[in-house]
Amino acid sequence: MKSKRPTSVITGAAGFLGSHLTDLLLSRGHKVIGIDNFITGSVDNIAHLAGNKDFRFIQQDVTEFLFLDGPVDYVWHFASPASPIDYLNFPIQTLKVGSLGTHKALGLAKEKGARFLIASTSEIYGDPLMHPQREEYWGNVNTIGPRGCYDEAKRFAEAMTMAYHRQHKVATRIVRIFNTYGPRMRLNDGRVVPAFVSQALKNKPITVFGEGTQTRSFCYVSDLIEGIYRLMMSNHPLPVNIGNPTELTMLQFAEEIIKATKSRSKIIFKPLPQDDPKQRRPDITRAKTVLKWTPQVPLAQGLTKTIAYFRTKV
Ligand code: UDP
């Protein structure tokens, strides 16, 4: 018999998204077992949970066998390097956690009769030829390029998840996460939000890659986590995009950050990294229909909170 209060296992619990998910689940009455090996996660993200009886932490690489006592109701597989710099630095770990780690996490869910959710990504669409991206789109990925280790690991993870769903009847969910920002992003993770905000706060040049015409659409972390929670609690086994469809060029984004920080920074241009997607915006029709979810936090409001966090870090 399952315990009355649900137990959730979160891999990558010390990461940016994993730690916010941990907080949300604890606030909704879950007991949480967090797992992380700290290759890109940080103990600072979960330090506030020290002494919380509903939170247990295990330092482990989730590509190794996961053994846990007791019942588990939900497995949320969030462990992975997730910024272009991180997966360039850890290409093999990125491939392993998306493949072997997903296999272990699915095995745990199967063993416990738990529901499983994989944190997939808009990167599975590669440099997309369909815009905005709908879940039906199969993507345009360079398997052997520098981003291939992440993109293909996540594509494999989706395939493995569907195989467990079909073969073993595990209740599975797939969220495709688009660019997300907020407190607890790592200052030096190379992603555009920490890069631009920290440059702006130090009045240093803002490094726009390429001509800055490439687009992204940024979702505030609380919106994203709410969407993911609703997906887990839904009955929908097929992938769902979660993201904010407000699309900006990177040049516009740099200008927004300068304005929001009241910075004296100037914009400079640096070479565009290989295979950098030219445009990205989620079609969130499915999330709206199936989950009754839409993002609530406008960019200006989300940036204010994010900038306040980074002020304490730079
Ligand atoms: N970018 C930029 N300057 C930076 C860091 C990133 O212009 O200092 C651009 C990058 O080329 C990409 C976009 O910002 O087009 C988003 O990059 P990020 O690394 O945040 O994530 P991605 O969406 O590419 O996975």
Side-chain angles (χ1 to χ4, degrees):
M1 218 191 62
K2 294 209 165 153
S3 64
K4 243 169 96 205
R5 289 182 58 201
T7 297
S8 276
V9 171
I10 303 178
T11 74
F16 166 46
L17 297 182
S19 66
H20 282 285
L21 177 63
T22 300
D23 288 344
L24 181 96
L25 294 178
L26 288 169
S27 78
R28 295 193 177 166
H30 288 228
K31 295 181 185 170
V32 175
I33 302 169
I35 307 176
D36 208 299
N37 66 351
F38 294 123
I39 71 162
T40 58
S42 164
V43 74
D44 293 349
N45 292 338
I46 50 170
H48 61 288
L49 300 173
N52 185 325
K53 288 192 190 58
D54 293 330
F55 180 67
R56 182 174 145 212
F57 183 75
I58 300 169
Q59 184 169 348
Q60 193 191 314
D61 179 339
V62 298
T63 63
E64 308 289 340
F65 187 83
L66 297 171
F67 176 79
L68 291 174
D69 275 331
V72 174
D73 304 284
Y74 302 100
V75 175
W76 314 71
H77 184 38
F78 276 65
S80 178
S83 83
I85 282 192
D86 286 343
Y87 44 80
L88 280 179
N89 285 337
F90 304 108
I92 296 168
Q93 285 98 325
T94 302
L95 280 156
K96 281 177 73 181
V97 76
S99 54
L100 307 179
T102 301
H103 185 221
K104 295 289 182 291
L106 278 161
L108 177 71
K110 172 171 167 263
E111 164 71 23
K112 301 287 186 183
R115 206 177 273 191
F116 175 89
L117 181 143
I118 176 74
S120 185
T121 166
S122 56
E123 278 286 322
I124 70 111
Y125 301 121
D127 188 5
L129 305 177
M130 175 194 262
H131 193 74
Q133 292 79 54
R134 294 213 330 249
E135 290 88 346
E136 288 80 9
Y137 180 49
W138 290 354
N140 178 37
V141 170
N142 176 6
T143 57
I144 58 167
R147 302 170 84 106
C149 59
Y150 184 64
D151 303 11
E152 290 303 330
K154 291 293 189 179
R155 291 169 70 95
F156 176 95
E158 289 197 7
M160 185 61 113
T161 300
M162 288 310 290
Y164 265 66
H165 175 65
R166 295 194 178 106
Q167 181 96 29
H168 294 312
K169 312 294 175 213
V170 175
T172 57
R173 309 285 178 260
I174 299 172
V175 57
R176 292 189 181 147
I177 298 172
F178 283 66
N179 293 69
T180 304
Y181 69 102
R184 300 188 194 157
M185 293 188 96
R186 227 177 56 239
L187 199 59
N188 62 349
D189 84 354
R191 281 190 277 198
V192 69
V193 175
F196 284 4
V197 173
S198 59
Q199 289 161 350
L201 290 176
K202 292 188 254 176
N203 295 305
K204 294 243 173 86
I206 308 274
T207 54
V208 169
F209 294 165
E211 292 171 6
T213 52
Q214 71 275 31
T215 67
R216 295 293 185 273
S217 311
F218 296 97
C219 186
Y220 189 65
V221 63
S222 60
D223 279 336
L224 182 96
I225 298 296
E226 177 63 33
I228 291 173
Y229 178 83
R230 289 192 194 188
L231 175 60
M232 179 65 113
M233 299 306 155
S234 78
N235 284 322
H236 196 79
L238 296 177
V240 178
N241 291 337
I242 299 282
N244 188 319
T246 309
E247 185 180 2
L248 294 171
T249 68
M250 288 309 96
L251 201 52
Q252 288 171 325
F253 191 55
E255 284 156 2
E256 287 292 325
I257 300 281
I258 290 173
K259 204 168 72 187
T261 51
K262 301 189 174 61
S263 171
R264 296 190 305 278
S265 293
K266 297 277 172 280
I267 291 170
I268 59 167
F269 294 91
K270 297 261 186 178
L272 189 67
Q274 190 190 333
D275 297 337
D276 198 287
K278 287 184 256 323
Q279 49 182 4
R280 182 182 289 158
R281 168 157 60 103
D283 181 317
I284 57 166
T285 308
R286 190 176 282 178
K288 282 182 177 164
T289 316
V290 178
L291 311 177
K292 307 275 175 274
W293 175 88
T294 48
Q296 305 293 316
V297 182
L299 186 66
Q301 197 179 317
L303 280 182
T304 303
K305 293 186 185 179
T306 308
I307 290 164
Y309 171 80
F310 280 122
R311 273 189 208 284
T312 68
K313 298 281 167 187
V314 292

